[in-house]
Amino acid sequence: MKKLVDKLFREQTLTQDELKAVLSADNDLRTYLHECARKTTVSVFGNAVYVRGLIEFTNYCKNDCLYCGLRCSNADVKRYRMSDAQIMECCALGYANGLRTFVLQGGEDLYFTDDRLCALIQCIKAGYPDCAVTLSLGERDKHSLRRLRESGVDRYLLRQETANAALYASLHPPEMSIDSRKQCLYDLKELGFQVGCGFMVGVPGQTLDNITEDLGFIAALRPAMVGVGPFVPHSGTPLGSHPHGDLALTLNIIAILRLMNPNLLLPATTALATIDKSGREHAVLAGANVVMPNLTPSDVRADYLLYNNKAYENIDDVKARLHRIEREAVTARGDYREL
């Protein structure tokens, strides 16, 4: 079975059946897979792990996705929107701590029109011209995305969540479609964004075939970044009683992605830290090389609850954890480099 890992390392691709075999790796093969991914990461990035500042600036969302705690029908959510001044304060805090990438994340909030967002982005870029700005705001039409790009946005994160149409439909309301999601990702690439996609591991109904379909979609898209994390339930959603996704499978996927594209930016996600207190460290040792400590103000942070028991770590916590596994927290922009 190690021959499959060697083939992936050498050719950066496997057949669907070969991928399924590696995804199901036993302990010995898993150890070898992670070791190869770790060596590949170090060969490209050294011991560097990029640190980005996450700002969750609105928890309003027009969508009613079955897995998300921010779904519009969840009446128990205490909704908030941060002001431009509050967002700039978060950027100032991050900048003072050396961070040179700000990730602005929120639900699909209709309040934040193109005009409002563009004005905000221009303000951030004027104040911090040496910093990258990343948005993660769900689907927007191509005209909107073009305006955001022209205003100075460098990167955009949009998980496809699953590339399989039937599984996607089981997790989302009828007005949402995987075709629209994929088209948005291709529009982002065409417009010159550094694009991030990704998916959840362990959502109800997901199979290994679905996961290999996601890996195939990612290989075709050639994104700059891929966020993969376990499904974690939220009690206020229809999927609240389902168990969280599997840690070992998630780590195998991260390792496979690293071998598929050695230059890929791979975050160690908050969801991993939520299901296992050492989840981020495990991910880094399996090939991840990005972490995103939270800059969101403490008075609203607990209201951005995509799932229950969400883990939080500040910049100093993240740096200390990385130091313990002999990794260096690097606060530079860390732009994606093509192979």
Side-chain angles (χ1 to χ4, degrees), residues 1 4-5 8 14-27 29-31 33-34 199 201 206-216 228 246-257 260:
M1 292 290 284
L4 293 180
V5 177
L8 181 59
L14 291 175
T15 68
Q16 183 176 11
D17 286 342
E18 289 171 337
L19 280 172
K20 286 165 67 175
V22 177
L23 286 167
S24 305
D26 60 17
N27 288 337
L29 184 58
R30 184 181 304 122
T31 298
L33 171 66
H34 294 188
F199 60 97
V201 180
Q206 186 184 59
T207 65
L208 288 183
D209 285 325
N210 297 147
I211 292 173
T212 60
E213 188 173 352
D214 274 299
L215 293 173
V228 174
D246 183 67
L247 174 66
L249 179 56
T250 305
L251 296 176
N252 286 353
I253 294 168
I254 289 171
I256 288 170
L257 286 165
M260 286 174 60

Side-chain angles (χ1 to χ4, degrees), residues 136-315:
S136 180
L137 300 175
E139 294 179 43
R140 301 179 80 90
D141 64 41
K142 193 171 184 179
H143 172 75
S144 173
L145 295 173
R146 181 178 286 109
R147 287 196 61 188
L148 293 173
R149 181 75 179 118
E150 290 170 351
S151 75
V153 178
D154 302 279
R155 307 170 188 149
Y156 202 102
L157 310 180
L158 179 68
R159 287 186 175 190
Q160 76 271 16
E161 300 299 3
T162 172
N164 181 268
L167 184 58
Y168 188 93
S170 75
L171 300 171
H172 298 86
E175 61 271 18
M176 297 180 70
S177 77
I178 187 57
D179 289 339
S180 174
R181 199 80 162 181
K182 289 178 179 178
Q183 185 58 55
C184 189
L185 284 163
Y186 282 111
D187 287 345
L188 287 161
K189 285 212 68 172
E190 182 183 328
L191 292 168
F193 289 87
Q194 292 181 47
V195 178
C197 64
F199 60 97
M200 293 180 292
V201 180
V203 294
Q206 186 184 59
T207 65
L208 288 183
D209 285 325
N210 297 147
I211 292 173
T212 60
E213 188 173 352
D214 274 299
L215 293 173
F217 171 73
I218 291 166
L221 180 66
R222 300 293 296 177
M225 179 173 173
V226 179
V228 174
F231 164 73
V232 185
H234 187 291
S235 56
T237 69
L239 303 183
S241 62
H242 289 267
H244 63 68
D246 183 67
L247 174 66
L249 179 56
T250 305
L251 296 176
N252 286 353
I253 294 168
I254 289 171
I256 288 170
L257 286 165
R258 171 58 64 211
L259 295 177
M260 286 174 60
N261 183 350
N263 283 20
L264 196 62
L265 296 167
L266 276 171
T269 64
T270 302
L272 279 164
T274 299
I275 68 167
D276 185 298
K277 64 181 181 180
S278 299
R280 279 202 184 99
E281 292 92 319
H282 289 312
V284 170
L285 295 175
N289 68 325
V290 175
V291 292
M292 293 190 284
N294 205 308
L295 297 176
T296 310
S298 57
D299 60 333
V300 296
R301 187 180 299 168
D303 297 319
Y304 198 89
L305 204 60
L306 303 175
Y307 43 79
N308 291 137
N309 306 312
K310 184 179 175 184
Y312 293 100
E313 288 176 329
N314 61 33
I315 297 168

Side-chain angles (χ1 to χ4, degrees), residues 118-134:
C118 289
L120 171 62
I121 299 306
Q122 289 166 358
C123 187
I124 294 173
K125 296 294 275 192
Y128 306 100
D130 56 335
C131 293
V133 173
T134 303

